[in-house]
């Protein structure tokens, strides 16, 4: 991990939980900014360009955690770790609409939270970079800025969608199996199955346009370029 730790925005209205998260993250070297509702949180995100957002589902005011996550997604790529009081919200949290990077169900151990934050940041900020920008036709995958552009226009992707695109771009022209993609993007300990890859590829095609040079290689998997 970089010696220079980044900023974490924590959006949580329960002061006890917020203080605990604040304490443990600061102890681990992060700069922590706390918000008690969605509006305040979105302002902090805009001002501080955080590395990750920790987001409670149930928030006071007009925006709940799901609304806040959609706003974050609409504006760019920042990883989101959800806090939830309910097991039955997990499918929605990890689903395509919100595409959160991880979640914890309350009550959780603050040490576990720090470990999860570290794991997300390892995945999203320490991808080995071969070329800074990979170009295929009018698609540019900017690995340093973590941006995908089509015809010069930035396309909003979830962190996982970008990671998948970046992994394909780092292996330009090579057919990769679904298992290779799962291991490379989701990590060996991911519990999902290979359809996860298909669903995310479909999302990339939808967002980046059907003419995207992302080919299905029958009997193998996928290839970019
Ligand atoms: Ca709450």
């Amino acid at each position: 991990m970089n010696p220079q730790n980044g900023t974490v925005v924590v959006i949580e209205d329960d002061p006890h939980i917020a203080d605990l998260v604040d304490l443990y993250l600061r102890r681990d070297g992060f700069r922590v900014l706390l918000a008690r509702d969605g509006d305040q949180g979105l302002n902090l995100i805009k001002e501080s360009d955080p590395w990750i957002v920790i987001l409670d589902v149930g928030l006071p005011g007009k925006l709940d955690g799901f609304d806040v996550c959609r706003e974050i997604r609409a504006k760019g790529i920042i990883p989101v770790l959800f806090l939830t009081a309910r097991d039955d919200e997990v499918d929605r949290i990890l689903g395509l609409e919100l595409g959160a990077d991880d979640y914890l169900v309350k009550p959780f151990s603050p040490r576990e939270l720090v470990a999860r934050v570290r794991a997300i940041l390892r995945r999203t900020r320490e991808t080995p970079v071969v070329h800074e920008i990979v170009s295929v036709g009018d698609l540019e995958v900017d690995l340093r800025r973590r941006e995908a552009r089509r015809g010069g226009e930035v396309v909003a992707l979830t962190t996982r969608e970008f990671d998948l695109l970046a992994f394909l771009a780092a292996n330009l022209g090579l057919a990769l199996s679904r298992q290779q993609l799962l291991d490379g993007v989701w990590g060996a300990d991911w519990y999902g199955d290979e359809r996860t890859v298909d669903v995310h590829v479909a999302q990339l095609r939808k967002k980046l346009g059907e003419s995207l040079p992302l080919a299905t290689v029958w009997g193998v998997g996928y290839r970019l370029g």
Side-chain angles (χ1 to χ4, degrees):
M1 182 57 61
N2 289 337
Q4 186 66 49
N5 278 316
T7 298
V8 183
V9 167
V10 179
I11 309 175
E12 165 64 80
D13 59 304
D14 181 327
H16 175 69
I17 295 177
D19 286 351
L20 204 60
V21 168
D22 179 41
L23 175 71
Y24 273 78
L25 286 173
R26 277 192 291 117
R27 193 185 281 172
D28 209 55
F30 291 98
R31 172 176 174 242
V32 183
L33 300 175
L34 298 176
R36 303 194 53 149
D37 64 39
D39 279 323
Q40 206 186 353
L42 287 170
N43 282 333
L44 283 181
I45 290 166
K46 207 163 85 184
E47 288 162 12
S48 66
D49 190 21
W51 283 13
I52 184 167
V53 176
I54 295 173
L55 181 55
D56 184 29
V57 173
L59 293 170
K62 64 182 194 317
L63 303 177
D64 67 12
F66 297 143
D67 299 325
V68 173
C69 189
R70 274 190 292 272
E71 288 287 316
I72 294 171
R73 291 290 178 246
K75 291 194 171 75
I77 298 174
I78 302 172
V80 173
L81 187 154
F82 264 106
L83 304 178
T84 176
R86 291 168 45 187
D87 274 321
D88 61 357
E89 285 172 335
V90 169
D91 283 350
R92 194 163 169 215
I93 286 170
L94 295 178
L96 282 180
E97 181 209 358
L98 297 167
D101 296 87
D102 206 349
Y103 69 94
L104 283 169
V105 177
K106 298 174 185 179
F108 56 85
S109 128
R111 280 203 185 83
E112 176 71 14
L113 176 100
V114 173
R116 300 287 186 96
V117 166
R118 288 273 168 210
I120 294 170
L121 294 179
R122 265 197 301 281
R123 181 162 60 71
T124 56
R125 301 200 74 94
E126 297 187 348
T127 312
V129 173
V130 185
H131 306 286
E132 293 199 340
I133 298 178
V134 178
S135 298
V136 197
D138 71 344
L139 169 71
E140 285 183 320
V141 187
D142 189 329
L143 299 168
R144 225 163 76 90
R145 296 177 64 174
R146 294 184 54 79
E147 236 172 49
R149 294 184 291 268
R150 197 88 212 264
E153 295 285 309
V154 176
V155 180
L157 300 176
T158 66
T159 44
R160 198 75 81 171
E161 287 161 3
F162 184 84
D163 289 342
L164 174 60
L165 185 64
F167 192 77
L168 286 159
N171 294 283
L172 198 64
L174 296 177
L176 298 172
S177 72
R178 288 173 178 79
Q179 193 57 53
Q180 283 173 315
L181 292 166
L182 271 183
D183 291 346
V185 178
W186 280 264
D189 55 351
W190 177 253
Y191 62 82
D193 63 26
E194 297 187 350
R195 273 171 308 179
T196 306
V197 175
D198 299 334
V199 170
H200 281 76
V201 165
Q203 282 296 108
L204 282 180
R205 285 175 171 155
K206 193 169 137 200
K207 290 185 174 179
L208 290 162
E210 287 300 325
S211 62
L212 185 72
L214 173 53
T216 303
V217 184
W218 296 108
V220 185
Y222 296 101
R223 184 188 70 230
L224 184 68

